[in-house]
Amino acid sequence: MNERRVESNGLSFRVLEAGGDDPLALCLHGFPECAHSWRHQMPLLADRGFRVWAPDLRGYGQSDTPPDVGDYAIEALLADVDGLIEAAGARGRTTLLGHDWGAILSWYYAMRQPDALERLVIMNVPHPARFFQQLRTFRQLRKSWYIFFFQLPWLPEWALGRNDAEAVGKAFTDMAVHTERFDDAAVRPFREAASE
């Protein structure tokens, strides 16, 4: 894997890349993750003939972090996805892969820009219509408590960032099915990205 900077939508994105020239597999990470999340999938996709890009999304890791809350509206984030596809010269020849928050962006991008994509791969997130239907139930509201927590000013940043982003590391080590795969070396990039 190589690392490069990609200028798009007025921002500079850190992008991990692997593989050849075409078609593009654009991999969007979840929260509290970063491009490093795709380190195991990128070689497989490259072996299948894809040029693979895994960016740190806006506000994550080593990509630019605009200062205003409004800079993170869904429209701005979708413009980032569109800009990355344009920067790669891959409109209509892109497989968009998304996990967690990246999957939400991928769903919305595919619904708004279907002609820009060849394929869509969603991991761990239902279609938005189904999610909002379930959000009306107490069971799903209880499982989605963190969405509301992250709407609070400054408290989430403080809670996740203190002690060298220890809570981010614990999100991986304490919740993983295979905790043995998440030693300190594996979670360090996520903690560093959160600290940025």
Side-chain angles (χ1 to χ4, degrees):
M1 277 186 293
N2 299 315
E3 183 177 318
R4 68 182 294 180
R5 300 299 299 184
V6 175
E7 305 299 319
S8 175
N9 201 22
L11 300 174
S12 178
F13 293 87
R14 172 186 172 248
V15 175
L16 298 180
E17 70 176 342
D21 294 329
D22 206 32
L24 178 68
L26 182 61
C27 304
L28 305 181
H29 64 79
F31 178 83
E33 302 175 32
C34 60
H36 178 73
S37 300
W38 296 98
R39 67 195 178 282
H40 298 298
Q41 293 80 18
M42 290 180 72
L44 174 67
L45 291 165
D47 286 346
R48 298 290 190 273
F50 287 96
R51 171 175 44 149
V52 187
W53 279 15
D56 283 345
L57 295 173
R58 170 188 295 235
Y60 291 85
Q62 297 174 33
S63 289
D64 283 352
T65 304
D68 297 327
V69 171
D71 294 328
Y72 298 88
I74 190 80
E75 293 78 16
L77 300 171
L78 295 176
D80 292 346
V81 175
D82 201 50
L84 288 163
I85 290 171
E86 287 296 324
R91 183 164 287 284
R93 298 181 323 278
T94 297
T95 295
L96 184 60
L97 299 95
H99 171 255
D100 187 63
W101 177 242
I104 294 169
L105 294 178
S106 297
W107 273 123
Y108 278 99
Y109 186 81
M111 290 187 290
R112 294 182 183 185
Q113 300 281 345
D115 294 339
L117 302 178
E118 187 172 349
R119 290 183 195 92
L120 177 66
V121 178
I122 300 294
M123 292 176 266
N124 202 37
V125 172
H127 187 279
R130 183 70 173 146
F131 174 75
F132 285 115
Q133 181 184 44
Q134 289 300 304
L135 196 56
R136 296 182 193 138
T137 67
F138 178 73
R139 181 174 182 248
Q140 186 59 52
L141 273 172
R142 192 179 71 231
K143 288 181 178 182
S144 302
W145 67 269
Y146 63 93
I147 295 172
F148 305 104
F149 173 70
F150 286 114
Q151 303 305 307
L152 298 172
W154 71 265
L155 183 60
E157 290 85 354
W158 174 82
L160 290 178
R162 67 190 184 99
N163 298 328
D164 190 30
E166 180 181 31
V168 170
K170 285 185 177 288
F172 291 95
T173 59
D174 292 356
M175 291 191 263
V177 173
H178 294 282
T179 57
E180 71 278 4
R181 295 182 184 170
F182 291 97
D183 61 9
D184 187 57
V187 299
R188 172 62 40 200
F190 300 115
R191 290 178 70 178
E192 290 172 357
S195 295
E196 306 232 354

